[in-house]
Amino acid sequence: MGLSRSVRAPSTDVLTARYRGLEPLNMHEISFLRMIESKPKAIFSSDSRILAEGSEISTPLLIVSGWACRVRSLSDGRRQIMNLLLPGDAIGLCQRSRPLAVTTIIALSTVRASEAFELADVWRDRARMPALAEALDIAAAEEEHFALCHMMRLGRQTAFERMANLFMEIDYRLASRGMSLGGRFPFPLTQETLADVVGLSVVHVNRTLQQMRRDNQIDFSRGRMAILDSEALRLAGEFQRPNVTAGRADP
Amino acid sequence: MGLSRSVRAPSTDVLTARYRGLEPLNMHEISFLRMIESKPKAIFSSDSRILAEGSEISTPLLIVSGWACRVRSLSDGRRQIMNLLLPGDAIGLCQRSRPLAVTTIIALSTVRASEAFELADVWRDRARMPALAEALDIAAAEEEHFALCHMMRLGRQTAFERMANLFMEIDYRLASRGMSLGGRFPFPLTQETLADVVGLSVVHVNRTLQQMRRDNQIDFSRGRMAILDSEALRLAGEFQRPNVTAGRADP
DNA sequence: CGCTAGCTTGACACAGGTCAAAGGCTGTGG
DNA sequence: CCACAGCCTTTGACCTGTGTCAAGCTAGCG
């Protein structure tokens, strides 16, 4: 818990860290984000449903702490997790009116989230806060990039490659919010859930984790992940940083 | 060719068919789309690259005829096709300025496409043609729905289920543009390409097609597909129509 | 009318799934 | 402070869906 706390950015700054990392924001925009983050939070307990597929999206949310995911199921219970939602990520943020949710969203740990109507407005009337609107565009484009990575994992990569790539992605995304330090970050998923992310069975996820541990590539236990050999994982998984805006290839 | 022609909607109306099916458009908007469709076309020959991953998207396009796809590759040549792009679909249409392509796009058959700068503008300044902007939003939401279906296929469905689901999806998407009649439509992919869509090997795609033929579920040959038993395929693949806007569940 | 790209088939290999049982943790209640 | 319950994790044995390899086959096209 001591460690966990030292790794986590002070929770009143996740949103700022998130969007400032995408596009330079002015003071006005930053304090706007701080205002949103300091509002009272909706709390969802682990495993509870945040949004149901097919239901109308009434309230856009911004996750301030905790992990969630977008998930769909087949009639016989097979599940596929489409995307992990981390602190700083949005839920149901959309420029359109009266949208329906295309996936169910469930909390994977206790999730605290702020209502973000104002942010949806800012995205729609781009002129009000152009840089912030741009940051939201970039966030959406990054999300698309990672969705494509997910398809590549599921369709063409081996178990080892999928998991290597996924861990690098999570590290990258958390680091951009100041929540991963030196490859160490909280990891609140069970192996069962992880299996539903990478499209494998629990047993095989376990075997693959064992292998990564044996080779000193990760140090993993329920609740915590440490990436020990990021070079090996990056190579194996062919991880690529998102690169979505002209004149801004990051290092 | 005679058949092929009778199935295809007159090519000067694909765009109208596409967007009118999503949202009621007024005369002004419809003639705007007809204007775009009647402009001179960019032509891409089969297998040529329409857009390269990482390059700046200069010209938004609307496909008027032919198929294309979004694709990524691993260093050893494994390929995953992320999405099929059919007539009426957009390429690089985006509300953001100076975006970079997140995937390569290649033509799978001869593709004719119109430049669509004006459409990008209409999407950005929603007020000019609100219904058309809304239609573009809905098209984007449907695309997201099908991307999620694709992940489910790749992550959790068997070979047979994947292909059944994919064929139903293509039928649905083509039908909404008047290009599939009674489950019969042009299908210009090789089995190799199809394998890269569903994340299987060519050999296994072939075996699965054989099985569908034996069971009289499809009549398939290079260039043409006929879905003979859509009920069986729908059930096996658990195909679901997109449902993305409140107050508009389609039948 | 032969070449080539695509299709088909069979034999075999293996990554990953399934089943089953045994160990941990951890939190709760006695 | 112990014991139990319940959820995770781990392991082993075995199975199977899909991949790989290799060889014919077919048909359209130059």
Side-chain angles (χ1 to χ4, degrees):
Chain A
M1 185 58 197
L3 226 190
S4 163
R5 184 181 261 138
S6 75
V7 161
R8 207 164 276 159
S11 84
T12 66
D13 257 355
V14 193
L15 300 189
T16 323
R18 171 68 181 130
Y19 292 109
R20 247 208 315 213
L22 299 175
E23 181 75 14
L25 303 181
N26 63 32
M27 290 311 288
H28 183 45
E29 291 163 322
I30 288 173
S31 55
F32 176 78
L33 286 175
R34 292 228 169 92
M35 178 275 285
I36 290 180
E37 184 158 351
S38 66
K39 291 201 304 185
K41 306 288 176 296
I43 309 275
F44 303 90
S45 60
S46 189
D47 292 330
S48 67
R49 176 175 307 181
I50 297 179
L51 190 60
E53 178 172 352
S55 68
E56 190 161 350
I57 298 173
S58 47
T59 315
L61 295 172
L62 280 170
I63 300 179
V64 167
S65 72
W67 291 25
C69 69
R70 318 208 318 156
V71 62
R72 278 189 182 173
S73 300
L74 295 172
S75 56
D76 64 359
R78 280 174 288 175
R79 296 199 323 161
Q80 179 63 51
I81 289 176
M82 307 297 173
N83 188 8
L84 292 172
L85 300 169
L86 309 177
D89 283 334
I91 293 176
L93 190 64
C94 180
Q95 300 183 63
R96 190 156 64 94
S97 60
R98 311 200 66 210
L100 299 184
V102 289
T103 60
T104 294
I105 295 182
I106 64 176
L108 296 172
S109 61
T110 303
V111 167
R112 295 190 313 133
S114 296
E115 294 188 355
F117 294 105
E118 305 93 331
L119 199 61
D121 296 340
V122 160
W123 203 9
R124 229 167 196 274
D125 324 345
R126 325 182 53 89
R128 277 175 49 198
M129 298 190 183
L132 187 51
E134 179 76 10
L136 290 169
D137 285 337
I138 296 173
E142 284 202 354
E143 210 173 282
E144 188 186 6
H145 166 80
F146 286 122
L148 296 165
C149 292
H150 200 42
M151 288 181 194
M152 181 58 95
R153 284 194 293 255
L154 296 173
R156 289 304 189 193
Q157 291 191 291
T158 66
F160 189 93
E161 293 167 345
R162 290 182 206 194
M163 292 182 56
N165 185 293
L166 178 71
F167 294 153
M168 293 306 291
E169 173 183 320
I170 294 173
D171 178 49
Y172 174 87
R173 290 170 58 192
L174 287 177
S176 74
R177 295 144 212 217
M179 301 186 65
S180 168
L181 294 180
R184 304 181 162 268
F185 46 88
F187 194 94
L189 308 191
T190 65
Q191 294 184 17
E192 178 99 40
T193 306
L194 187 49
D196 287 334
V197 176
V198 291
L200 298 165
S201 66
V202 205
V203 173
H204 204 68
V205 162
N206 185 278
R207 287 195 275 240
T208 309
L209 286 173
Q210 300 298 340
Q211 184 189 341
M212 289 179 165
R213 283 197 265 244
R214 252 198 323 280
D215 299 347
N216 286 310
Q217 290 163 338
I218 62 172
D219 177 8
F220 173 90
S221 62
R222 176 84 145 92
R224 297 220 41 82
M225 163 71 83
I227 292 180
L228 304 180
D229 189 345
S230 60
E231 197 54 14
L233 296 188
R234 195 179 57 70
L235 285 174
E238 297 194 31
F239 175 75
Q240 307 262 33
R241 286 197 181 78
N243 179 20
V244 298
T245 299
R248 180 128 28 113
D250 54 349
Chain B
M1 184 61 195
L3 226 190
S4 164
R5 185 182 260 135
S6 77
V7 160
R8 205 165 278 158
S11 84
T12 66
D13 256 356
V14 194
L15 300 188
T16 322
R18 170 67 182 133
Y19 292 109
R20 234 185 353 190
L22 298 175
E23 182 76 12
L25 303 181
N26 63 34
M27 289 313 286
H28 184 45
E29 291 163 323
I30 288 172
S31 55
F32 175 78
L33 286 175
R34 292 227 169 93
M35 178 275 285
I36 290 180
E37 184 157 349
S38 66
K39 290 203 302 185
K41 306 287 177 295
I43 309 275
F44 303 90
S45 60
S46 189
D47 291 329
S48 67
R49 178 175 305 183
I50 297 179
L51 189 60
E53 179 172 352
S55 68
E56 191 161 349
I57 298 173
S58 47
T59 315
L61 296 172
L62 280 169
I63 300 180
V64 167
S65 71
W67 291 24
C69 70
R70 316 210 315 157
V71 62
R72 278 190 183 171
S73 300
L74 295 173
S75 57
D76 64 358
R78 281 174 288 174
R79 296 199 323 161
Q80 178 63 50
I81 290 176
M82 307 296 173
N83 189 8
L84 292 172
L85 300 169
L86 310 177
D89 283 334
I91 293 176
L93 190 64
C94 181
Q95 300 183 62
R96 192 155 63 94
S97 60
R98 313 200 63 212
L100 298 184
V102 289
T103 60
T104 295
I105 295 182
I106 64 176
L108 296 172
S109 61
T110 302
V111 167
R112 296 191 311 132
S114 295
E115 293 189 355
F117 294 105
E118 306 91 329
L119 199 61
D121 296 341
V122 159
W123 203 8
R124 231 167 194 274
D125 324 345
R126 327 181 51 87
R128 277 174 49 197
M129 298 189 182
L132 186 51
E134 178 77 9
L136 291 169
D137 286 336
I138 296 173
E142 283 201 355
E143 210 173 281
E144 188 185 5
H145 166 80
F146 286 122
L148 296 165
C149 292
H150 200 42
M151 289 183 195
M152 180 59 95
R153 284 194 294 254
L154 297 173
R156 289 305 190 192
Q157 291 191 292
T158 66
F160 189 92
E161 292 167 345
R162 289 182 207 193
M163 294 182 54
N165 184 293
L166 179 71
F167 295 153
M168 293 305 293
E169 174 184 319
I170 294 173
D171 178 48
Y172 174 88
R173 289 170 58 192
L174 287 177
S176 73
R177 295 143 211 215
M179 300 186 66
S180 167
L181 294 180
R184 302 180 165 269
F185 46 89
F187 194 94
L189 308 192
T190 65
Q191 293 184 16
E192 179 98 40
T193 306
L194 187 49
D196 287 334
V197 176
V198 291
L200 298 166
S201 66
V202 205
V203 173
H204 204 67
V205 162
N206 184 278
R207 287 195 277 243
T208 309
L209 286 173
Q210 299 299 340
Q211 184 188 343
M212 289 179 166
R213 284 197 264 246
R214 252 198 323 280
D215 300 349
N216 286 310
Q217 290 162 338
I218 62 172
D219 177 7
F220 174 91
S221 62
R222 175 85 144 97
R224 297 221 40 83
M225 163 71 84
I227 292 178
L228 304 179
D229 189 345
S230 61
E231 197 55 13
L233 296 188
R234 194 179 56 71
L235 284 174
E238 297 194 31
F239 175 75
Q240 306 262 32
R241 287 195 181 78
N243 179 20
V244 298
T245 299
R248 181 128 27 114
D250 55 349

